[in-house]
Amino acid sequence: MFKAERIHRIKEIIFERKQIDVATLSSLLNVTEVTIRNDLEQLEQSGFLTRYHGGATLNASAFPEQPDSNGQVDFFNISYDKEKEELGYVAANLVREREWIFLGPGTTCYYIAKALSKRQNLNIMTNNFSVAGVFANSPSVQLIFLGGQMQHSGMYTVPEDLNKDLEHIFLSKFFFSVDAASLEGGYCLSDINVLDIIRTVSSRCQEPIICVDSKKYDQRSFSRLGDLDYVPTVVTNSSVPAEYHKYYTEHGIRTYTSFDLAPLKL
């Protein structure tokens, strides 16, 4: 990544988060902390931010919060989640130009969409309103939104006949998330409708990819999706517990993290 591009990305991140530490920026942009400190010094001199020990904060007086085109600051009211944002960056790097992907319900897929929002020549199918909102002003992205009964609590739709909707679509990848993961209970969800959607789309795509942030490990939930080898590819945080790291490796599951896009190795 060239310096100009890196500076632009740092400005985007800080404008969105309002403040961030040097270590996080270093991890997200895959450069040294020394490089990040130099970039932050340049941005401080321009008046964009104010540095503090270990990080920086947006110069809020110079950038008052602006509403969107609908007169609202945050239509979906999605709370910022650092771990899910990292998953979004990693998952986005697995998407190739022009292939068809499905982004499922949930805020993890919203973060994947945000990470993809600067890309071009993408083909996306979704039933997630927050994902559709991200690409609302992206003419280079071909988006198919699946209608159906709206689930207000999760901001997604339940299509009347999902198999029929997918009948003439070749999906290369399907990204989805779960509410809990454990060695004994496998992957679980709290919403039975989402579970059914995941099972249907997984059976109709080339590569289902599960995204699990580290807070979901050692947790249980209402409905069981399957064992931890339910899908061959996992995107997770670099802080994945050692016992899950070991399980994935022993079962030949490709595991990508925010630390390194290469599969994990013991």
Side-chain angles (χ1 to χ4, degrees), residues 180-189 218-229 244 247:
S182 67
L183 293 172
E184 299 79 16
Y187 295 122
C188 299
L189 295 109
D218 292 328
Q219 301 295 320
R220 294 286 190 99
S221 194
F222 176 67
S223 301
R224 187 175 187 273
L225 175 64
D227 293 334
L228 296 183
D229 60 356
Y244 294 90
Y247 180 97

Side-chain angles (χ1 to χ4, degrees), residues 29-246:
L29 300 178
N30 195 29
V31 295
T32 67
E33 293 188 9
V34 172
T35 298
I36 293 298
R37 290 191 188 96
N38 291 335
D39 291 342
L40 294 180
E41 181 179 4
Q42 177 180 328
L43 289 171
E44 184 178 45
Q45 292 173 354
S46 71
F48 183 83
L49 55 80
T50 300
R51 288 188 298 161
Y52 60 85
H53 182 68
T57 183
L58 181 71
N59 184 357
S61 61
F63 298 95
E65 191 168 39
Q66 298 293 324
D68 62 18
S69 58
N70 296 316
Q72 297 173 308
V73 171
D74 185 358
F75 178 77
F76 296 106
N77 195 29
I78 296 174
S79 300
Y80 173 70
D81 190 305
K82 173 184 175 182
E83 294 188 346
K84 290 183 179 180
E85 183 182 54
E86 291 178 352
L87 297 189
Y89 286 129
V90 177
N93 275 280
L94 301 179
V95 177
R96 298 191 301 271
E97 190 175 275
R98 301 188 188 282
E99 68 179 351
W100 274 97
I101 67 169
F102 193 112
L103 295 178
T107 54
T108 298
C109 286
Y110 161 77
Y111 278 104
I112 297 173
K114 289 193 69 177
L116 289 169
S117 62
K118 304 299 182 183
R119 299 266 298 271
Q120 296 184 345
N121 301 318
L122 298 176
N123 300 309
I124 297 171
M125 177 177 280
T126 189
N127 64 332
N128 186 329
F129 283 98
S130 61
V131 168
V134 169
F135 297 108
N137 296 312
S138 300
S140 66
V141 175
Q142 183 173 352
L143 180 80
I144 295 179
F145 185 83
L146 299 178
Q149 181 178 354
M150 180 176 179
Q151 299 297 305
H152 291 271
S153 59
M155 291 300 292
Y156 69 92
T157 61
V158 179
E160 182 177 345
D161 190 344
L162 185 53
N163 275 304
K164 184 176 180 180
D165 291 335
L166 299 177
E167 187 175 3
H168 300 296
I169 298 291
F170 175 79
L171 291 172
S172 178
K173 295 181 176 73
F174 168 40
F175 294 92
F176 66 95
S177 60
V178 292
D179 298 318
S182 67
L183 293 172
E184 299 79 16
Y187 295 122
C188 299
L189 295 109
S190 57
D191 189 330
I192 190 68
N193 289 318
V194 175
L195 183 143
D196 289 340
I197 290 167
I198 289 173
R199 286 178 172 166
T200 300
V201 182
S202 293
S203 68
R204 302 297 295 267
C205 76
Q206 184 177 22
E207 184 181 10
I209 301 174
I210 190 168
C211 301
V212 189
D213 66 82
S214 60
K215 297 187 297 293
K216 303 297 173 57
Y217 290 109
D218 292 328
Q219 301 295 320
R220 294 286 190 99
S221 194
F222 176 67
S223 301
R224 187 175 187 273
L225 175 64
D227 293 334
L228 296 183
D229 60 356
Y230 178 75
V231 295
T233 307
V234 173
V235 171
T236 189
N237 301 109
S238 55
S239 56
V240 55
E243 59 271 29
Y244 294 90
H245 180 170
K246 181 179 179 182

